[in-house]
Amino acid sequence: MRMRSAERMLHKEVRTKADGRRLILYGREPVTADGAPSPSPDRIDSAAHFRWHPFRGEWVAYAAHRQHRTFLPPPDYNPLAPTADPAQPTEVPAGNYDVAVFENRFPTMHPEASEAPASLTPTRPALGVCEVVVYTQDPSTSLGALPVDHIDVVLEALADRYRELGGRPDIAYVMPFENRGVEVGVTLHHPHGQLYAFPFIPPVAAVELGRQADYYRDHGAGLLQAHIDAELRDGRRMLFAGNEAVGFVPSFARYAYEAWIAPRRAAPSLAALAAGERRDVARALKTVLLKYDGLWNKPMPYVMVFHQAPTDGKAHPEAHLHIECYPAYRMPGRLKYLAGSELGAGVFTSDTLPEAKAADLQAVQVDLGEGVSGVEGVGTG
Amino acid sequence: MRMRSAERMLHKEVRTKADGRRLILYGREPVTADGAPSPSPDRIDSAAHFRWHPFRGEWVAYAAHRQHRTFLPPPDYNPLAPTADPAQPTEVPAGNYDVAVFENRFPTMHPEASEAPASLTPTRPALGVCEVVVYTQDPSTSLGALPVDHIDVVLEALADRYRELGGRPDIAYVMPFENRGVEVGVTLHHPHGQLYAFPFIPPVAAVELGRQADYYRDHGAGLLQAHIDAELRDGRRMLFAGNEAVGFVPSFARYAYEAWIAPRRAAPSLAALAAGERRDVARALKTVLLKYDGLWNKPMPYVMVFHQAPTDGKAHPEAHLHIECYPAYRMPGRLKYLAGSELGAGVFTSDTLPEAKAADLQAVQVDLGEGVSGVEGVGTG
């Protein structure tokens, strides 16, 4: 299958692994690759289900996985690297492609989740999709270090996932995200993200969309668009001000180095971006991520989450695609712990101001590798 | 001042530190102590303010503290231990008392918070109170290891704080909590908790109270009371079933070893407990905390939060005092990380079931030190 864009074509190849899981390869060049490897031919049993938390009004996911066959990988085994030795298959093949997506072997949600057992509160099968998004075949790089062209492929692949998964009648919300670094629990360093396709709009997205819908109703315009305009006028927290996309530390940042990336136009999802917009989002994203890593000259651990319009079949004029990045550190060597105030009250506390932290990031010079200077425009002096 | 209870009197002594902060000493015996020490005579400047997060609809607290005088404590300096050497004052005096409460030297909220600077979204002064609650003079014990009598004093002191701080017109919510262990960011091992008195009902409490209010309106009874009844009937997750209080892993636990402690009766706050109820809550709390520490024979790090009725002047028949405990580990040596799903979506994921984790805790035998056996009653066989 080939997907046309205003700029260049994206090639897509769908395969099925021996254990039944889906593998999708994306590339700017025609995709060629050796089969669809899997670490094990056995499908993992999943007794995944949701239980209702009646005090918080949210679903909690339980997924107790049972593995039929013991799998003891060698110490240097990287399941996200292209398979080099067919006797030790990884999750992705050797070959010619840029980005690989496959169904998670240990999913929290599953398209064929079994009946949910009864509990004291309502339960439901954990129907949904969990995919792994391998950004590149190179195990030693990072999303931010990839060329803008390649980040653009990642974003276009995620746009394709949004269209395909969001098109399912049982999927209400498609959320790409990345957990990066041991500080947020990730031991696999190969550059990759994940994607959860939920059967409901998850609580954090629901809260944000609710506020955006209120604003849209009252103003006939988008809350994020208004905030981006205000950030641009203020300028003190801007990290990237492109023609079509921006990156900034929001004035109400909860994490010290929190940054948001968004198209200027209120495009509801990655799939709604024009090619030029998507490319500028790639630039904004690359700028923010390179500034993170350049800040203390070491990879910054973070949680990064894409916010898009729900795919619940309803109109969402309030939605405006954006990426929220939550770096784990607040100072060199000082993690931000979520404790009583944050987890117990929902009140984030910071001993620094967003303006000061944005200035730290503004001072980090980055090279987008496009041979264009001054793209960042604002606040990098 | 002396406060009478059905059982025994609680003595209370209020003092003012050199830097103006309040110190309160509580004891079952008459309080005698040497003054009101302070690590420094200088008041810390606080430019604390809240900014409105328009997408989440919540306040974010910024408190950039400026210390006038450099304070370099010796390596073994414990600011929460009774002052032994007047040349090195701590936060609490030597003397005769059980529990000490003082205003935090580096508060997130402050009773005289200055004007809030303008920002892109609404701001307000961080008016409020942050107190430190020193559970005991003994630096080497823990809340759970204290005698039931002593835990009862801690709870009665917190009840007094609820009444006093909640009685202020500018305080809408009084939240005692404890962050325990380096895993949740606490480097001070002297047994202590904290107390935040907010000028608004914080988001997490507001969500829980909203659900409880819905239930109360529909059923004319409390949601937590109904859930406690259901947990008692089920029995598989009970950790303590006393005559007046219970401790259990909720069927919808978000953290592997999450436990809730509550009076059976829907008492809205610690201040509303009868002496016998409060003592049974102390037993339930001690049971849960000892089971945590006994599980792997090492102190379990946790975040523990008290949920009480707001003090906003409105009626809250839906409120039911309870304590929620979130242990940091999900397996020996395996922390529960909050990442994309939890922070980005608000969907907690667990690879274990509450029933299995409750069974782990039920298997830990604890001695309440009251010479009574079988108090736990349910599920300890």
Side-chain angles (χ1 to χ4, degrees), chain B:
Chain B
M1 181 183 149
R2 299 179 307 177
M3 300 185 293
R4 291 192 170 283
S5 79
E7 283 183 327
R8 296 176 62 196
M9 203 176 289
L10 184 67
H11 297 265
K12 175 185 177 185
E13 174 101 15
V14 184
R15 299 178 178 185
T16 304
K17 291 168 178 276
D19 61 2
R21 289 178 298 136
R22 188 177 48 245
L23 169 72
I24 311 163
L25 305 172
Y26 296 93
R28 283 277 177 245
E29 305 297 326
V31 170
T32 56
D34 304 335
S38 182
S40 157
D42 296 335
R43 185 112 195 176
I44 306 285
D45 265 10
S46 172
H49 67 280
F50 288 114
R51 297 187 189 181
W52 183 246
H53 191 312
F55 292 83
R56 298 179 58 95
E58 65 189 38
W59 294 102
V60 181
Y62 302 92
H65 298 289
R66 285 182 297 275
Q67 204 165 346
H68 286 220
R69 203 171 68 167
T70 309
F71 174 64
L72 291 171
D76 61 344
Y77 176 77
N78 172 2
L80 305 187
T83 296
D85 173 4
Q88 279 182 10
T90 67
E91 291 281 15
V92 294
N96 225 331
Y97 60 89
D98 297 318
V99 173
V101 174
F102 61 86
E103 287 180 88
N104 198 317
R105 228 173 132 226
F106 304 96
T108 298
M109 295 170 291
H110 196 279
E112 287 105 37
S114 48
E115 279 296 289
S119 186
L120 300 190
T121 62
T123 62
R124 61 192 281 183
L127 284 170
V129 182
C130 293
E131 293 182 340
V132 177
V133 181
V134 183
Y135 295 147
T136 167
Q137 296 191 29
D138 179 356
S140 60
T141 184
S142 68
L143 181 59
L146 290 171
V148 170
D149 269 349
H150 196 126
I151 297 174
D152 187 54
V153 175
V154 171
L155 295 180
E156 195 171 349
L158 293 177
D160 178 61
R161 306 315 304 139
Y162 178 86
R163 268 187 301 261
E164 181 178 325
L165 298 173
R168 295 193 188 192
D170 54 342
I171 296 301
Y173 196 86
V174 179
M175 188 184 90
F177 64 99
E178 181 182 349
N179 300 331
R180 184 198 195 199
V182 292
E183 292 87 344
V184 298
V186 179
T187 48
L188 201 51
H189 297 300
H190 192 112
H192 73 288
Q194 297 184 63
L195 186 151
Y196 278 13
F198 292 100
F200 50 77
I201 304 177
V204 169
V207 165
E208 281 208 6
L209 287 162
R211 295 282 165 175
Q212 289 169 279
D214 289 348
Y215 188 94
Y216 192 87
R217 186 195 59 223
D218 295 345
H219 297 81
L223 174 59
L224 182 52
Q225 224 161 1
H227 190 76
I228 288 171
D229 288 347
E231 290 284 2
L232 282 165
R233 277 194 305 274
D234 182 311
R236 284 178 296 163
R237 291 168 302 274
M238 292 307 297
L239 304 178
F240 177 89
N243 286 332
E244 317 216 39
V246 292
F248 58 91
V249 175
S251 62
F252 48 79
R254 293 181 301 149
Y255 298 85
Y257 291 102
E258 179 172 343
W260 289 31
I261 292 127
R264 289 189 183 229
R265 182 176 68 93
S269 74
L270 287 167
L273 292 178
E277 285 177 309
R278 200 182 58 233
R279 194 179 176 88
D280 218 29
V281 170
R283 284 190 197 99
L285 182 56
K286 182 177 173 69
T287 299
V288 168
L289 298 184
L290 285 182
K291 282 175 178 285
Y292 281 164
D293 287 2
L295 188 59
W296 304 315
N297 285 312
K298 55 174 275 200
M300 174 70 94
Y302 57 74
V303 170
M304 176 177 83
V305 181
F306 286 70
H307 289 243
Q308 306 186 82
T311 56
D312 58 352
K314 298 186 181 123
H316 287 281
E318 78 280 15
H320 184 158
L321 162 71
H322 63 282
I323 308 168
E324 299 185 17
C325 299
Y326 309 149
Y329 285 98
R330 56 189 180 84
M331 283 166 51
R334 293 281 197 92
L335 288 168
K336 168 63 181 172
Y337 290 96
L338 303 188
S341 191
E342 292 81 10
L343 300 178
V347 177
F348 273 63
T349 61
S350 177
D351 55 6
T352 54
L353 294 179
E355 293 70 45
K357 294 294 156 174
D360 292 352
L361 291 170
Q362 286 169 348
V364 179
Q365 299 298 318
V366 303
D367 179 4
L368 290 179
E370 291 186 313
V372 183
S373 66
V375 175
E376 298 169 55
V378 178
T380 50

